[in-house]
Amino acid sequence: MSDTAEVARVAAAPTAVVDGSPSPTSIARHGHERIAQPSTFLLPRGQNRAMQDKPLSSVDRDQLSGLKAIRDFLKKRTSYDVLPLSFRLIILNTDLLVKKSLTILLQNGIVSAPLWDSHTSTFAGLLTTSDYINVVQYYWQNPDALNQIDQFRLSSLREIEKAIGVLPLETLSVHPMRSLYEACRQMLKTRARRIPLVDVDDETGREMVVSVITQYRLLKFIAVNVTETEMLKKTVSEIGLGTYGDLQTANMDTSVIDVIHMMVKYSISSVPIVDEDGRVQNVFEAVDVISVIKGGAYDELTTSVGEALSKRAEDFAGIYTCSEEDRLDSIFDTIRKSRVHRLVVIDDENRLRGIISLSDILKYVLLYGESDD
């Protein structure tokens, strides 16, 4: 197998549409975000009866009906159904140089890729922006090793994780013919916010990576195909969606490396950029690190966040915000129309209130009201 493999698929159209045409909505005002651990929506054992005994309002009943419709939909669809009619899949050999892998991601406009161990002919996990951030951390902790950084191979990423004391990403996968519901539940177990679809070749008995499903694609699939999302009328504050308090922030003059240290320390993938009054100005995301270090320009890590953000591609999807009074149905409407990866919760004066990640939304949709089994 070469350093990279590109897989194309053309098949019969799935039974449901995946993408909707992007357009702004009232909830998409401007942009900033960060990632935090999703809230838990599982009910402890023994609380289901208490919930049933409490009188439900019509909004409560609609909310539960909408959530049930989404779960039933996911259980009836396979993971294969969410894939587009045709697509490219870039798979990287673990023998590939880290520097070369960065170039491949940039050339193909992607931020992650499945890894393949050609020595064992097995799936070897996912390459994500977290891996490049770990390389940056390693270089910063070991400046004498900078002359060796261009010789790092993808197979050495696990050693880098051990050297800087971070946990490796989980190497979970799911068979493409398993239900989407199962894929979603598996995805909630990994910090990669995506899950590979791995099949086994009937003739050789070897694993083969079919595709990778992201949280964004899953929620978009739901938003486009499940009309019952219109029943989710409860507000962000009513359902406790998102993370609030102790949010990590930076300003436009903060250095990129300081923000990277923040991401590693708090296990977050983006940091809101605020002014002196706490008003949200932008968001620095993990994917921005790739643009900063492209071509091996690790010395540019001391540049300011403002300078780094000014180099974003013109087709950058932007940042989306909402208020605590926005409803879940309007958030799904925004996901249906736009490329949303997180929402920054702000008040009427644009001050930062919280962060809603796609993990928060997916976990609420899958687990709210379910028993903790």
Side-chain angles (χ1 to χ4, degrees):
M1 181 178 177
S2 62
D3 287 339
T4 65
E6 186 171 301
V7 180
R9 167 182 176 257
V10 178
T15 53
V17 184
V18 175
D19 293 320
S21 57
S23 62
T25 68
S26 59
I27 202 173
R29 301 169 188 163
H30 51 273
H32 327 287
E33 65 180 325
R34 159 200 118 115
I35 269 225
Q37 294 301 317
S39 309
T40 177
F41 298 104
L42 284 172
L43 290 177
R45 288 186 178 89
Q47 288 196 10
N48 276 343
R49 180 173 296 278
M51 184 180 71
Q52 292 170 357
D53 292 342
K54 182 180 179 180
L56 297 177
S57 67
S58 59
V59 174
D60 290 328
R61 288 192 293 271
D62 284 348
Q63 190 85 1
L64 293 175
S65 295
L67 294 175
K68 183 179 184 301
I70 292 173
R71 294 165 192 169
D72 289 345
F73 172 80
L74 293 174
K75 290 173 182 177
K76 293 176 182 176
R77 302 288 179 174
T78 68
S79 299
Y80 202 72
D81 289 336
V82 79
L83 302 181
L85 184 61
S86 63
F87 63 90
R88 291 187 307 163
L89 175 63
I90 306 297
I91 302 174
L92 303 181
N93 194 318
T94 54
D95 288 335
L96 186 68
L97 291 172
V98 171
K99 182 178 179 179
K100 189 173 180 181
S101 73
L102 180 61
T103 301
I104 292 172
L105 294 191
L106 288 167
Q107 288 176 343
N108 288 276
I110 55 179
V111 297
S112 69
L115 296 177
W116 184 261
D117 188 332
S118 59
H119 303 286
T120 60
S121 296
T122 56
F123 166 65
L126 285 173
L127 176 70
T128 70
T129 51
S130 296
D131 292 305
Y132 296 106
I133 288 176
N134 290 341
V135 171
V136 169
Q137 280 287 96
Y138 179 81
Y139 149 64
W140 209 255
Q141 294 178 15
N142 304 274
D144 294 339
L146 182 58
N147 61 341
Q148 305 171 13
I149 203 165
D150 287 343
Q151 300 306 312
F152 286 160
R153 297 187 182 275
L154 296 179
S155 57
S156 67
L157 290 176
R158 304 292 82 87
E159 296 303 316
I160 291 177
E161 289 168 346
K162 292 179 183 178
I164 64 175
V166 300
L167 293 174
L169 286 176
E170 304 82 354
T171 55
L172 298 176
S173 64
V174 69
H175 191 279
M177 293 310 294
R178 303 297 294 179
S179 74
L180 268 179
Y181 184 80
E182 181 178 331
C184 290
R185 293 296 294 255
Q186 284 287 89
M187 191 180 295
L188 290 178
K189 298 177 183 178
T190 174
R191 289 168 291 133
R193 297 176 295 281
R194 61 198 74 221
I195 193 164
L197 304 182
V198 178
D199 202 348
V200 176
D201 187 278
D202 291 336
E203 295 182 1
T204 65
R206 293 180 176 179
E207 291 182 336
M208 57 181 183
V209 182
V210 176
S211 188
V212 177
I213 299 179
T214 63
Q215 290 180 344
Y216 164 74
R217 180 166 290 280
L218 274 168
L219 289 171
K220 183 104 167 179
F221 191 65
I222 292 170
V224 170
N225 294 291
V226 183
T227 58
E228 286 85 354
T229 55
E230 298 174 357
M231 303 174 72
L232 306 176
K233 301 293 187 183
K234 286 202 166 186
T235 66
V236 166
S237 60
E238 286 177 322
I239 61 178
L241 190 65
T243 301
Y244 304 82
D246 296 326
L247 298 176
Q248 303 304 310
T249 63
N251 59 55
M252 287 293 187
D253 295 325
T254 305
S255 69
V256 170
I257 189 63
D258 283 343
V259 174
I260 289 175
H261 291 330
M262 198 181 300
M263 288 178 172
V264 173
K265 181 178 180 180
Y266 295 100
S267 298
I268 55 179
S269 65
S270 57
V271 176
I273 308 303
V274 300
D275 64 14
E276 61 275 10
D277 295 318
R279 293 185 176 89
V280 179
Q281 294 182 303
N282 211 312
V283 171
F284 188 87
E285 305 176 352
V287 295
D288 292 313
V289 175
I290 293 180
S291 300
V292 174
I293 63 173
K294 65 181 178 182
Y298 292 93
D299 54 342
E300 292 190 13
L301 292 168
T302 55
T303 192
S304 70
V305 164
E307 178 68 21
L309 294 178
S310 69
K311 297 178 181 178
R312 274 177 171 162
E314 292 184 1
D315 61 351
F316 175 67
I319 307 299
Y320 291 84
T321 64
C322 70
S323 76
E324 292 179 83
E325 300 311 309
D326 278 310
R327 302 182 320 203
L328 187 53
D329 64 330
S330 65
I331 290 178
F332 267 107
D333 189 53
T334 301
I335 292 173
R336 180 174 61 85
K337 297 177 180 178
S338 309
R339 191 170 184 82
V340 180
H341 293 288
R342 294 174 201 91
L343 295 113
V344 181
V345 185
I346 57 174
D347 63 16
D348 292 339
E349 296 183 350
N350 262 15
R351 290 190 176 90
L352 179 65
R353 295 286 300 156
I355 301 292
I356 299 174
S357 69
L358 296 187
S359 294
D360 292 328
I361 299 172
L362 187 61
K363 193 163 189 176
Y364 174 79
V365 164
L366 289 181
L367 304 182
Y368 179 77
E370 295 287 291
S371 59
D372 188 4
D373 294 328

